[in-house]
C-alpha cells in the first residue's frame, strides 16, 4: 500500500514485512504494511486563538485541507517533504504543538514565494498564515531563534535606524553576525571586503568592480558606506514605529 | 506549456498615466544602480515621466513583514502618503519586493477598515498626512507595457537585439499572490475570475506572464522557453539566511536557462537579480555545470536596443558580466 504524504509518519511507526501470512493466507502483496497508531493527549487549545489574533492569520479557518498549497510549494517539492503547509495549518488548528515542534527545523524555511496563497481555492492567505503560526510558536517558546528570524530582525533594525537600508552594510553586517572576521579599516571602522576572514566567494565577488575598473560604481558604494542613505524627518516617525514594535513584542538591538 | 496564445494577449490599454510617482527602492540607489539608470533612460525614450518620490523610506521588503505586521504596513503607508503629497494616485516600483510590499499594504488597507483607521492614526502621529484614498502600485513592467507597449518599443529600436536568446525571469511576486498583485488568469473560467474581486485590468497573466517577453521581442530579441522556471523562486528573503535552499533554487534557474539555450537571463527585480548573480558566482566556484548564464535587467537590454552604449546602461555593474556575450553577438 502506498502511503500518501509518507513524510508525515515517523519511520519508527511503520512496520513493513517482506512476507506476511495471516491464518494461512499469504497477504504480502497488499497488507504487508502497518502504521502503528498513537495517542495524542496534549492539545493546546489556545494556539488557534493566538493565530486568529494575528492580522495575518485570520483566514486560517477557511482551509479545507485540499493540499493545493503543498503541491505548489517549492520548499516541499525541491527541498524537504517534511515542509508541508497544509499539514502545518492542520496541526495549528488542532493545537498539536508537539507535532509542530518536531518540525521546527523546517517550518521556518518558507521562502515567501506565495505560490500557496496564489493557488489556494479557499482564499486562505497561506504564506501569511504560516508566518502567523511561526510567530505564535516563537511567542510560546516552541521554537528557538531560527536563521531567517535573525536576518529579518537585523534587516528591520537597519530600516528602523535610518529609514533606508544600505546593501553593503547589510551584507557585511550579516556576514559578521555569522561569525566571520570582517576586516575593518582602523580609522572609520568600515569593512574592507577583500581582506580578513570574509568568505572566499565574497572576496572574489567584491574585487570584480575593481578588476573591471568600474570607477563610478566604486565611488557610489564608498559614498554610501561613509554616508549612510537616510530618510529625512525620520525621528518623529521612528517613535511611532517603536511604539508599534513594542505592542507587537518585537525587540530590537538598539 | 500553456503559454498565452496570441489572441488572449492584452493590447496596451493606457489608463495608468504617462507621469507617475517613482518609488525606486533602496537597492536601486545602491547595488542595483544599473537598473535605476537604465529605467530612467528607457522611460524617457518611451515618452514616459518618472516623478521621484522625495524622502521615501524602505518598504521593508519581504523581511520586515515576517517580524512586524503593523510596522511594515505603516512603512508602506508612509510612502503612499508621500505619493499623494506629490499629487499622485499611482506609484510605479521596479522591484518585486517593493511592488509586493506596497500592494500588500494596499490590500490590507482596502479590505480591512480597522487596519485603515489604525494606520491613518499612526501616520498622523508620525507627522505624515493620513490617506484619504489608497494609491495603486504598478510594477514597472506593467506600466511600460500599457503606457508604451511593444509597438512603441519597436519604433524606438535603433539596434535590434538580433540573435540574442533571452530567458525571461519574472520571479515570484510580480504575479503572486493574486490578492496583492491583482493578476488575472487567461485560463480561468468566468466564475473563477469573479472570485478575484481585486483583479486589475492592466495586470499581467498570473501563471504565464508575458509583458517582458513581448517588450524584448519587440526590441528584436528571441525568447527561449522558460516556463515554469520563469516564476519560480530564487530563495528571495532567505538568500542570505538560508544559503542551502537558495543555492539549489538558483541552480535550477540557471541550468534551465542554459539548457534551453539562453544567452542571458532578463530580470525585472533587483533582488532576483542579486540572488542570481551571487549564487551564479558561488556555483561556478564549486564547478557546477551549466550555470554561467549572466543576468541583465530588461531595461538594460531595451536601452541597448534604443541605441545607448554599454556604459549608458551601466553594464559593468552587473557582477555576472554579460558584456562578452553581448559583444560576441555584435550588440555592443
Ligand atoms: S490550498 Fe488552501 S484550502 Fe487547500 S490545504 Fe492549502 S490552505 Fe488549505
Ligand atoms: S510561500 Fe512558503 S509555503 Fe508558500 S509555496 Fe512558497 S515556500 Fe511554500
Ligand atoms: S524591496 Fe528592497 S530595495 Fe525595495 S525598498 Fe524594499 S528593501 Fe529597499
Ligand atoms: S524570485 Fe526571489 S527576489 Fe525575486 S521576487 Fe521571488 S523571492 Fe523575490
Amino acid at each position: 500500500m502506498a502511503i500518501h504524504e509518507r513524510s508525515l509518519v515517523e519511520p519508527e511507526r511503520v512496520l513493513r514485512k517482506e512476507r506476511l501470512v495471516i491464518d494461512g493466507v499469504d497477504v504480502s502483496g497488499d497488507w504487508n504494511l502497518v502504521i502503528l497508531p498513537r495517542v495524542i493527549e496534549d492539545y493546546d487549545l489556545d494556539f488557534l486563538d493566538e493565530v486568529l489574533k494575528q492580522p495575518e492569520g485570520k483566514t486560517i479557518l477557511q482551509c479545507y485541507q485540499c493540499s493545493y498549497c503543498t503541491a505548489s510549494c517549492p520548499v516541499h517539492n525541491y527541498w524537504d517533504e517534511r515542509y508541508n503547509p497544509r499539514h502545518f495549518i492542520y496541526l495549528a488548528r488542532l493545537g498539536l504543538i508537539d507535532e509542530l515542534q518536531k518540525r521546527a527545523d523546517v517550518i521556518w524555511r518558507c521562502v515567501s514565494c506565495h505560490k500557496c496563497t496564489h493557488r489556494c481555492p479557499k482564499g486562505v492567505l497561506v504564506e501569511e498564515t504560516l508566518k502567523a503560526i511561526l510567530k505564535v510558536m516563537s511567542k510560546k517558546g516552541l521554537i528557538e531563534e531560527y536563521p531567517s528570524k535573525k536576518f529579518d530582525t537585523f534587516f528591520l533594525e537597519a530600516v528602523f535606524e535610518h529609514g533606508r537600508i544600505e546593501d553593503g552594510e547589510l551584507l557585511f553586517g550579516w556576514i559578521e553576525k555569522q561569525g566571520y572576521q570582517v576586516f575593518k579599516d582602523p580609522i572609520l571602522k568600515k569593512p574592507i571586503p577583500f581582506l580578513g576572514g570574509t568568505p572566499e566567494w565574497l572576496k572574489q565577488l567584491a574585487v570584480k568592480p575593481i578588476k573591471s575598473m568600474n570607477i563610478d560604481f566604486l565611488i557610489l558604494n564608498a559614498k554610501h558606506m561613509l554616508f549612510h542613505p537616510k530618510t529625512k524627518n525620520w525621528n518623529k516617525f521612528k517613535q511611532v514605529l517603536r511604539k508599534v514594535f513594542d505592542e507587537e513584542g518585537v525587540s530590537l538591538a538598539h | 506549456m500553456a503559454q498565452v496564445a496570441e489572441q488572449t494577449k492584452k493590447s496596451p490599454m493606457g489608463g495608468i498615466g504617462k507621469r507617475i510617482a517613482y518609488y525606486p527602492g533602496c537597492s536601486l540607489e545602491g547595488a542595483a544602480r544599473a537598473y535605476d539608470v537604465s529605467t530612467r533612460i528607457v522611460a524617457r525614450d518611451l515618452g514616459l515621466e518618472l516623478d521621484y518620490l522625495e524622502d521615501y523610506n524602505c518598504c521593508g521588503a519581504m523581511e520586515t513583514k515576517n517580524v512586524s505586521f503593523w510596522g511594515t504596513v505603516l512603512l508602506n503607508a508612509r510612502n503612499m502618503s508621500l505619493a499623494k503629497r506629490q499629487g499622485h494616485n499611482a506609484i510605479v516600483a521596479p522591484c518585486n519586493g517593493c511592488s509586493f510590499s506596497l500592494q500588500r499594504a494596499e490590500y490590507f488597507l482596502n479590505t480591512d477598515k480597522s487596519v485603515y483607521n489604525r494606520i491613518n492614526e499612526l501616520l498622523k502621529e508620525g507627522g505624515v498626512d493620513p490617506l484619504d484614498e489608497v494609491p495603486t502600485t504598478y510594477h514597472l513592467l506593467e506600466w511600460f507595457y500599457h503606457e508604451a507597449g511593444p509597438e512603441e518599443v519597436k519604433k524606438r529600436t535603433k539596434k535590434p537585439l538580433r540573435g540574442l536568446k533571452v530567458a525571461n525571469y519574472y520571479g515570484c511576486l510580480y504575479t503572486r499572490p493574486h490578492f496583492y498583485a491583482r493578476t488575472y488568469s487567461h485560463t480561468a473560467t468566468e466564475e473563477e475570475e469573479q472570485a478575484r474581486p481585486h483583479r486589475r485590468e492592466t495586470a499581467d497573466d498570473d501563471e504565464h506572464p508575458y509583458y517582458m517577453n513581448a517588450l524584448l521581442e519587440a526590441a528584436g530579441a528571441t525568447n527561449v522557453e522558460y516556463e515554469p522556471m520563469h516564476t519560480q523562486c530564487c530563495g528571495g528573503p532567505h538568500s542570505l539566511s538560508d544559503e542551502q535552499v537558495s543555492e539549489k533554487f538558483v541552480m535550477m534557474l540557471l541550468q534551465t536557462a542554459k539548457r534551453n539555450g539562453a544567452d542571458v537571463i532578463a530580470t525585472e527585480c533587483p533582488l532576483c537579480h542579486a540572488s542570481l548573480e551571487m549564487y551564479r558566482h558561488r556555483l561556478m566556484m564549486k564547478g557546477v555545470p551549466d550555470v554561467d548564464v549572466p543576468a541583465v535587467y530588461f531595461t538594460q537590454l531595451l536601452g541597448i536596443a534604443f541605441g545607448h552604449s554599454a556604459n549608458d546602461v551601466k553594464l559593468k555593474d552587473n557582477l555576472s558580466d554579460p558584456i562578452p556575450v553581448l559583444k560576441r553577438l555584435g550588440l555592443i
Side-chain angles (χ1 to χ4, degrees):
Chain A
M1 185 177 69
I3 309 177
H4 294 285
E5 300 205 286
R6 174 71 177 76
S7 55
L8 302 185
V9 187
E10 300 86 357
E12 312 84 80
R13 288 204 292 125
V14 180
L15 291 188
R16 187 193 286 273
K17 293 237 161 68
E18 270 313 301
R19 204 164 161 248
L20 187 65
V21 180
I22 297 175
D23 292 344
V25 182
D26 186 335
V27 292
S28 314
D30 293 316
W31 304 103
N32 65 339
L33 186 144
V34 172
I35 299 173
L36 294 179
R38 66 191 157 149
V39 178
I40 296 172
E41 284 157 349
D42 280 341
Y43 290 84
D44 180 351
L45 297 176
D46 180 44
F47 197 94
L48 179 61
D49 291 342
E50 283 291 324
V51 173
L52 283 167
K53 264 188 224 153
Q54 312 291 322
E56 307 102 306
K58 285 189 180 148
T59 52
I60 189 169
L61 293 177
Q62 291 168 26
C63 170
Y64 63 4
Q65 292 288 301
C66 68
S67 225
Y68 236 66
C69 49
T70 301
S72 308
C73 176
V75 179
H76 174 82
N77 288 309
Y78 305 128
W79 187 255
D80 189 342
E81 286 199 331
R82 288 167 60 245
Y83 183 88
N84 187 332
R86 178 203 60 75
H87 190 220
F88 299 148
I89 289 178
Y90 173 76
L91 296 175
R93 277 172 55 170
L94 290 181
L96 292 176
I97 52 174
D98 286 357
E99 294 293 308
L100 276 174
Q101 233 176 340
K102 275 188 208 156
R103 288 157 182 88
D105 61 320
V106 287
I107 195 167
W108 60 273
R109 287 207 129 122
C110 163
V111 287
S112 298
C113 72
H114 277 283
K115 283 202 168 169
C116 47
T117 321
H118 183 76
R119 293 182 181 161
C120 173
K122 289 288 287 169
V124 180
L125 297 181
V126 189
E127 188 265 1
E128 308 269 1
T129 303
L130 293 165
K131 298 296 186 219
I133 293 174
L134 253 183
K135 273 190 193 167
V136 176
M137 283 180 76
S138 283
K139 223 173 169 176
K140 288 180 170 281
L142 299 172
I143 188 167
E144 283 173 29
E145 272 274 281
Y146 41 93
S148 70
K149 188 179 180 190
K150 275 187 216 158
F151 182 73
D152 295 346
T153 314
F154 183 60
F155 193 101
L156 186 64
E157 278 161 9
V159 180
F160 175 71
E161 197 48 39
H162 305 284
R164 296 264 188 104
I165 57 153
E166 199 265 302
D167 304 304
E169 181 195 65
L170 198 70
L171 180 60
F172 289 105
W174 178 246
I175 292 286
E176 208 170 14
K177 254 186 144 54
Q178 304 291 93
Y180 290 101
Q181 293 297 320
V182 174
F183 184 86
K184 295 194 176 153
D185 78 87
I187 302 160
L188 297 164
K189 303 271 183 281
K190 296 291 174 191
I192 311 276
F194 31 86
L195 298 175
T198 39
E200 194 51 39
W201 65 265
L202 185 54
K203 279 186 194 168
Q204 287 190 19
L205 210 56
V207 291
K208 277 208 170 169
I210 299 178
K211 276 200 197 137
S212 65
M213 302 276 287
N214 195 355
I215 307 293
D216 51 349
F217 190 56
L218 289 168
I219 293 175
L220 178 83
N221 282 306
K223 193 180 109 197
H224 280 179
M225 258 196 205
L226 293 176
F227 308 101
H228 198 292
K230 278 191 179 77
T231 303
K232 282 169 272 157
N233 312 319
W234 187 241
N235 268 336
K236 191 163 172 201
F237 200 74
K238 213 169 150 179
Q239 300 313 322
V240 183
L241 275 177
R242 161 87 73 195
K243 190 182 93 177
V244 171
F245 293 157
D246 285 346
E247 276 170 25
E248 285 186 276
V250 179
S251 51
L252 300 182
H254 319 285
Chain B
M1 291 307 140
Q3 281 201 3
V4 180
E6 276 313 317
Q7 61 273 22
T8 58
K9 283 187 181 167
K10 293 175 182 175
S11 343
M13 52 181 84
I16 302 173
K18 302 250 181 239
R19 187 165 181 276
I20 199 165
Y22 177 45
Y23 177 79
C26 318
S27 40
L28 264 79
E29 301 205 47
R33 167 189 71 158
Y35 193 18
D36 179 55
V37 172
S38 53
T39 294
R40 288 167 189 271
I41 289 178
V42 172
R44 200 185 52 220
D45 287 357
L46 291 174
L48 303 174
E49 200 188 328
L50 296 160
D51 186 19
Y52 182 85
L53 203 60
E54 289 298 334
D55 204 28
Y56 69 86
N57 56 266
C58 175
C59 70
M62 284 97 90
E63 279 84 356
T64 67
K65 82 178 223 324
N66 297 338
V67 193
S68 165
F69 174 84
W70 289 102
T72 305
V73 177
L74 186 57
L75 284 169
N76 287 285
R78 181 178 179 278
N79 290 328
M80 290 177 181
S81 173
L82 298 182
K84 302 279 312 178
R85 192 179 66 191
Q86 280 175 225
H88 293 284
N89 225 346
I91 304 171
V92 70
C95 164
N96 283 355
C98 304
S99 65
F100 168 82
S101 297
L102 284 156
Q103 288 169 347
R104 178 176 180 267
E106 195 179 312
Y107 172 82
F108 281 105
L109 289 168
N110 281 333
T111 55
D112 193 334
K113 204 82 201 139
S114 62
V115 173
Y116 177 79
N117 291 339
R118 168 128 204 263
I119 290 291
N120 268 347
E121 285 302 310
L122 292 167
L123 284 177
K124 269 188 249 166
E125 230 176 281
V128 189
D129 298 338
L131 295 162
D132 45 358
E133 197 185 348
V134 182
T136 311
T137 300
Y138 300 86
H139 189 280
L140 182 70
L141 210 42
E142 190 177 334
W143 185 54
F144 277 172
Y145 188 87
H146 284 288
E147 287 298 336
E151 280 309 312
E152 197 62 31
V153 167
K154 210 174 269 167
K155 260 190 247 158
R156 306 280 151 202
T157 299
K158 296 194 188 115
K159 270 172 58 190
L161 303 168
R162 217 161 277 136
L164 183 69
K165 293 204 238 35
V166 182
N168 291 276
Y169 180 52
Y170 295 87
C172 318
L173 303 171
Y174 167 62
T175 53
R176 285 194 303 266
H178 63 80
F179 297 94
Y180 309 159
R182 298 163 65 179
T183 38
Y184 80 112
S185 167
H186 80 282
T187 53
T189 58
E190 193 52 39
E191 201 181 324
E192 281 171 315
E193 274 298 274
Q194 295 312 321
R196 298 184 180 190
H198 304 287
R199 87 200 130 111
R200 192 171 51 222
E201 278 315 310
T202 51
D204 210 338
D205 190 277
D206 61 351
E207 305 272 358
H208 311 284
Y210 56 87
Y211 289 179
M212 184 155 57
N213 295 49
L215 295 179
L216 290 177
E217 201 175 87
T222 312
N223 296 313
V224 305
E225 174 65 59
Y226 203 39
E227 295 201 11
M229 285 298 154
H230 63 332
T231 58
Q232 193 62 267
C233 186
C234 69
H238 285 191
S239 60
L240 289 175
S241 55
D242 191 355
E243 303 188 343
Q244 294 165 296
V245 169
S246 306
E247 188 173 287
K248 176 148 190 210
F249 284 6
V250 174
M251 184 184 83
M252 297 187 335
L253 294 172
L254 293 170
Q255 289 186 333
T256 309
K258 178 81 178 180
R259 289 169 186 167
N260 289 357
D263 297 314
V264 294
I265 296 185
T267 54
E268 41 87 294
C269 164
L271 312 175
C272 309
H273 186 94
S275 203
L276 284 178
E277 291 197 320
M278 179 170 82
Y279 283 104
R280 172 186 180 270
H281 172 77
R282 294 171 70 166
L283 289 161
M284 281 171 76
M285 272 176 72
K286 286 189 179 170
V288 176
D290 294 348
V291 293
D292 59 340
V293 199
V296 198
Y297 293 110
F298 82 101
T299 46
Q300 288 180 303
L301 291 176
L302 289 180
I304 290 168
F306 293 173
H308 299 281
S309 73
N311 189 39
D312 289 343
V313 297
K314 304 292 174 201
L315 269 185
K316 265 190 190 175
D317 284 12
N318 299 31
L319 295 169
S320 54
D321 201 4
I323 295 174
V325 47
L326 295 174
K327 270 213 175 112
R328 177 164 55 78
L329 293 166
L331 300 174
I332 49 172

